[in-house]
Structure formats: C-alpha cells, structure tokens
C-alpha cells in the first residue's frame, strides 16, 4: 500500500480525506464515527457565538434523473455553546490522537475576539485552525464570513490577529464569491496564513416552485440566498485551487474542496496543487462510508502510477495550467467518426449543423447504409460532437498533424507589433 | 464556397505575393479582420510596389501570423 499520509503545513493526518466544516462535523459523536469509518481528519463545524437556524435549510438541484447534482443550504455556523464543542473536541482528540482535528472559527472582525477564541480552542488540543471567511449567508449580514472574506484588507488583518496568538497552523478558508480569489488568497498569505483552503459555498438560489411561486428552499414562504456546493461546483473550485497554486505569491499549501465525491476528484484537486481535500456534500449524500472507496481508489491509482506517496502527486499538473494567450493556436484536433460503433442517432450532425461549424455530412456508404463523415478540413476541433455523442468510442478527437510550428496568441501579437514598429525584412 | 475553400483562396493570395518577393510590412487588425500591407523593394527587372490584402478567414489570419513569427524568429527580431 502507498503512503497516504498527509502533511499540510505541519498538520498530519493518516490520509488526505478530511471532512469539511459542516453538518457532518457538528459533534464529537459524528467526528468519532467519521474517524472510525476511515476519514483522516475533520474540520469541526464552525465555532463562534452560537447562532439560531431556520427550518427548512437545504435544497438540492437534480439533473437528468441524478439527484444532488448540486446542493444548497441556508444553515449558519454552530448553534451549540463553545464549551460544549470544546469538551467534545478534547475527548475526540484524546481518543484519536493520530487523526487531524481542525477548529473552524468565525468571530466579529476585532483583534480581541480573535485572540479570545484562538486561545480557547487551542487549549483543548486542536491540530490547527481554519478561519471561516466564506459563509455566504446570515453571518455575512453580520459582517462576518464572506462579508469579511471579500475584502482583502480584512482577510489580512484577521489572519494577522489569529496568527498573533496561534500556536498551531492557521488555514484561511476563502469564499468563492469574489471575482478573483487570488486577491484574497494573497491577502491571507500576507497576514501570515500557513495554508489556505477553498472553496466555501457559492451564492445561490436553488429554484422557484412553479405552482406556489415560493423559493426553494423557503421558510414560511420566504427565501434568502444560500450557498451552493456538491458535484456541480467542482470545476469552479478546481479552477480556483489551480489559480492559487500557480500564483507566485501564494506559496502556502492549499486544502481543496468543492464537489469532491470520489477519489477521482480528490486526485484532480491534488494534481492541481491541493495538499489534501475536504468533503461535505458527498458525505451528506452517501454517509461516512464513502471514504473506504476513496482510500482504496487512491491507493490503486498510486500503485498504477508506480508512486509511493500521495504527497508526490501534489501539484503535478500545475505547470500545465496557464493563460489562454500561451496556448498553441496551430495545434489542431479533428473529429473521427467510427461508423462501426455509431448508432446513427445523428446527434453529432445536428449539434454541428445547428450550433457549430457544419462539417459532419450524412452520407450513404457503398452498400447504401447511412453513415456520418467529418470533413476534416472544416472541422475546428471544438469537441462538441464527441460531447453530445451517447455512444462510447463512436467519435474520437484525434490530433491532426498539420505540420505548422507552434504559435501562441502572445507570440502572434508580439510579432505583429514588431512588424509594424520596425523594418523587418520578411522574405519568404 | 465551403469555409475551407475561403481559407485556401486567401492563402493563395498571400502565397502569391510572398513568392513574387513581397514582404509583409504591417498588419492592422480591426472589426473587419486583418489588413496586410505588402511591400516589394524591386530589383533590376521589376519596379518597387505596394499591395494590400484584406484577410477575413480565421485560418488565414493564423497562417500569415505563423509566417510572420517564423520569419522574425529566423531574423532574431525580439
Ligand atoms: C449544510 C452546510 C453547512 C455548511 N456549514 C459550514 C460551516 O459552518 N463552516 C464552513 O466553513 N463551511 C461550511 N459549509 C461549506 C463546506 O464546508 C464546504 O466548503 C462546501 O460545502 C464545499 O464542499 P462540498 O462540495 O464537498 O460540499 C457548509 C456546507 C453545507 C452544505
């Protein structure tokens, strides 16, 4: 078995799968069940002044017969007094000394409040702290969570206040409800963060009931925006992790989350620079036992790749992620339709004809059978036909060796600028 | 004319001028596409000349800029 153990800014756990701060980590009973099931760490449900929640709280977006493609909530932070949580953290840590327990914290943005809570939670033996600057609803109206997480100066200042007294590593959890997450990530680094984590939930309204015209969810007929998470947000979260991972000034480890449902997404996040992942929605949907498949799948993957340690995959894809202007304009792929496999549903033809570049012809072969054929010279390699094709292996996107040298948009623009500004002798 | 034929027609015009000894002297790009300024210095047989091509097709705009980048690389233009 490969070494799955993790070290994130000094926080150690037996594997890279942590439960994110959310209902699954609300109590000692739950976190202990999670550790028994195999989770490597848990970020405790955010601690702060106990709040009042509404009922109902959650809603899910189903898509095409699959339930919980996305998950929406209007729940706030813990509703239990600090002392109750601290007692259970202490007991849990004592029982599971090798598992990571991270205390998620949210208080009003004052130095005094941060000092007070950091000292109190560290006294019970947590392995690290996660500052929750991301909760998008309720707490934000009170100046906490996303409201302070959207202002780089407040992120930096509050991180500094926590760091002034913290003895354990400080992770800053960022909100995705911002145009460019690297601004707030950099602010966290400037404030002394030992790591950043992302993403918290995305502002959302799950739906509107067509009969009652009520929002989904609603509380006695009234709704308020919530936070979106689950499989649907993975691409957004993955990009945010990648943007931070490749940013030269964000040089601290990243704990990645947002739509991790299996070992596969976990590997994607880690390849894109995350040192371990956190999971909420998938655990809420399927229970703690999903971690067994995650561990097994990750171990098999590492074995297939001939790798000894999970830490070795962290960041392996970061250098492959760049700006659009650095992509090769002359690289070409074209669609190839395998008529042996094709079921002639014509979805590719319709997609190409109606919404792309009109390069898939409906023809007859020598025996008079219907076939589909791509005019390669008109195919722009958009991938749409292979995306809409319902049959595996019926359409391949293949590299087309056009013999052209690589040329990026940035190189092209520089060349045009140089041609216009100096006397270049361009003889063929 | 198929999309690809449009590209081929524009590529032929570019190649024709380059083969005659014209060089690309400037490129202006705007909402209408790319305007290429060609110049021919002339020799003992021919008079100097100037030509202008309006390039519309995206593949042709990739094509002339690939030539431009390659030529500048060869000539060490920074
Ligand atoms: C019901 C619910 C409550 C949550 N509460 C918190 C919280 O108290 N503190 C926090 O930092 N994040 C909270 N989150 C956000 C999660 O920790 C996590 O960032 C987000 O759900 C993305 O991960 P996922 O796609 O695996 O769910 C909550 C999420 C849900 C669904």
């Amino acid at each position: 078995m490969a070494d799955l153990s993790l070290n994130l800014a000094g926080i150690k756990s037996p594997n890279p799968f942590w439960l994110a701060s959310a209902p699954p980590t609300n109590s000692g009973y739950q976190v202990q069940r999670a550790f028994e099931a195999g989770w490597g760490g848990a970020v405790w449900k955010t601690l702060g002044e106990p709040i009042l929640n509404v009922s109902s709280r959650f809603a899910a977006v189903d898509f095409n017969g699959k339930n919980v493609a996305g998950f929406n909530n209007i729940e706030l932070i813990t509703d239990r007094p600090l002392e109750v949580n601290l007692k259970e953290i202490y007991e849990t840590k004592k029982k599971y000394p090798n598992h990571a327990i991270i205390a998620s914290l949210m208080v009003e943005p004052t130095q005094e409040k941060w000092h007070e809570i950091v000292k109190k939670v560290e006294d019970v033996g947590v392995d690290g702290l996660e500052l929750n600057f991301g909760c998008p609803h309720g707490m934000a109206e009170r100046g906490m969570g996303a409201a302070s997480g959207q202002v780089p100066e407040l992120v930096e200042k509050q991180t500094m206040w926590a760091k002034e007294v913290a003895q354990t590593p400080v992770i800053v959890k960022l909100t995705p409800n911002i145009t460019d997450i690297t601004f707030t990530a950099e602010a966290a680094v400037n404030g002394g963060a030992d790591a950043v984590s992302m993403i918290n939930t995305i502002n959302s309204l799950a739906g509107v009931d067509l009969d009652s015209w009520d929002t989904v969810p609603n509380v006695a007929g009234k709704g308020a925006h919530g936070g979106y998470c689950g499989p649907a947000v993975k691409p957004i979260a993955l990009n945010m992790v990648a943007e931070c991972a490749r940013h030269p000034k964000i040089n601290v480890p990243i704990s990645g989350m947002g739509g991790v449902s299996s070992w596969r997404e976990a590997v994607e996040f880690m390849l894109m620079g995350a040192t371990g992942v956190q999971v909420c929605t998938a655990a809420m949907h399927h229970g703690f036992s999903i971690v067994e498949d995650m561990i097994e799948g990750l171990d098999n993957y590492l074995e297939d790749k001939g790798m000894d340690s999970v830490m070795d995959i962290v960041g392996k894809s970061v250098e492959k992620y760049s700006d659009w202007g650095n992509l090769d304009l002359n690289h070409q792929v074209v669609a190839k339709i395998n008529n042996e496999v094709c079921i002639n549903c014509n979805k590719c033809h319709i997609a190409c004809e109606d919404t792309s570049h009109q390069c898939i012809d409906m023809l007859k072969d020598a025996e008079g059978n219907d076939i589909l054929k791509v005019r390669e010279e008109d195919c722009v390699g958009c991938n749409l036909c292979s995306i809409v094709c319902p049959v595996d292996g019926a359409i391949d996107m293949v590299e087309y060796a056009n013999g052209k040298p690589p040329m990026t948009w940035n190189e092209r623009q520089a060349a045009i600028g140089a041609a216009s500004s100096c006397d270049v002798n361009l003889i063929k | 004319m198929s999309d690809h034929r449009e590209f081929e027609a524009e590529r032929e015009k570019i190649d024709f001028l380059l083969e005659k000894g014209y060089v690309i002297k400037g490129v202006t790009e705007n909402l209408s596409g790319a305007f290429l300024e060609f110049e021919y210095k002339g020799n003992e047989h021919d008079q100097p000349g100037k030509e202008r091509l309006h390039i519309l097709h995206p593949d042709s705009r990739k094509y002339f800029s690939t030539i431009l980048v390659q030529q500048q690389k060869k000539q060490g233009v920074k």
Side-chain angles (χ1 to χ4, degrees), chain A residues 4 27 167 353 395:
Chain A
L4 300 188
S27 65
Q167 308 286 318
E353 205 66 14
I395 303 182

Side-chain angles (χ1 to χ4, degrees), chain A residues 81-155:
Chain A
L82 185 65
E83 289 68 29
V84 176
N85 279 303
L86 293 184
K87 184 169 171 280
E88 292 176 18
I89 291 174
Y90 175 76
E91 286 163 0
T92 307
K93 187 66 206 169
K94 225 167 120 186
K95 258 178 135 171
Y96 297 89
N98 299 324
H99 290 67
I101 298 184
I102 292 93
S104 168
L105 308 177
M106 184 193 289
V107 288
E108 283 162 30
T110 69
Q111 185 182 33
E112 195 189 344
K113 295 265 182 195
W114 278 107
H115 281 191
E116 181 191 1
I117 197 159
V118 166
K119 285 181 190 157
K120 281 188 169 162
V121 298
E122 286 198 333
D123 275 352
V124 295
V126 294
D127 298 291
L129 309 170
E130 186 179 78
L131 316 187
N132 178 351
F133 296 151
C135 185
H137 44 264
M139 306 313 290
E141 290 162 26
R142 304 167 203 178
M144 291 177 266
S148 55
Q150 286 162 337
V151 183
E153 293 77 14
L154 279 177
V155 170

Side-chain angles (χ1 to χ4, degrees), chain A residues 254-278:
Chain A
I254 301 166
S255 177
M257 81 199 92
V260 174
S261 310
S262 74
W263 66 269
R264 286 187 179 79
E265 295 86 31
V267 170
E268 288 181 276
F269 273 83
M270 294 186 78
L271 289 172
M272 269 302 167
T275 305
V277 293
Q278 299 185 30

Side-chain angles (χ1 to χ4, degrees), chain A residues 329-331 357 375 377-378 380 404-409 411-420 422-428, chain B residues 2-4 7 15 18-19 22-27 29 41 61-73 75 77-78:
Chain A
L329 289 167
N330 281 334
H331 176 75
H357 283 72
R375 288 194 319 282
E377 64 278 14
D378 285 327
V380 299
K404 292 177 190 155
M407 176 189 65
T408 68
W409 168 258
E411 287 167 341
R412 176 188 193 272
Q413 295 313 100
I416 288 174
S420 308
C422 70
D423 194 26
V424 183
N425 189 19
L426 286 166
I427 298 169
K428 222 186 140 205
Chain B
S2 92
D3 212 34
H4 188 68
F7 160 58
D15 286 348
L18 293 173
E19 273 157 24
Y22 280 80
V23 294
I24 301 171
K25 285 299 289 183
V27 179
E29 292 191 294
K41 287 250 159 52
R61 288 185 282 114
K62 283 185 187 175
Y63 180 70
F64 80 70
S65 39
T66 303
I67 292 169
L68 203 58
V69 169
Q70 289 310 304
Q71 293 292 339
Q72 288 183 9
K73 271 188 184 157
Q75 296 177 6
V77 174
K78 295 258 159 66

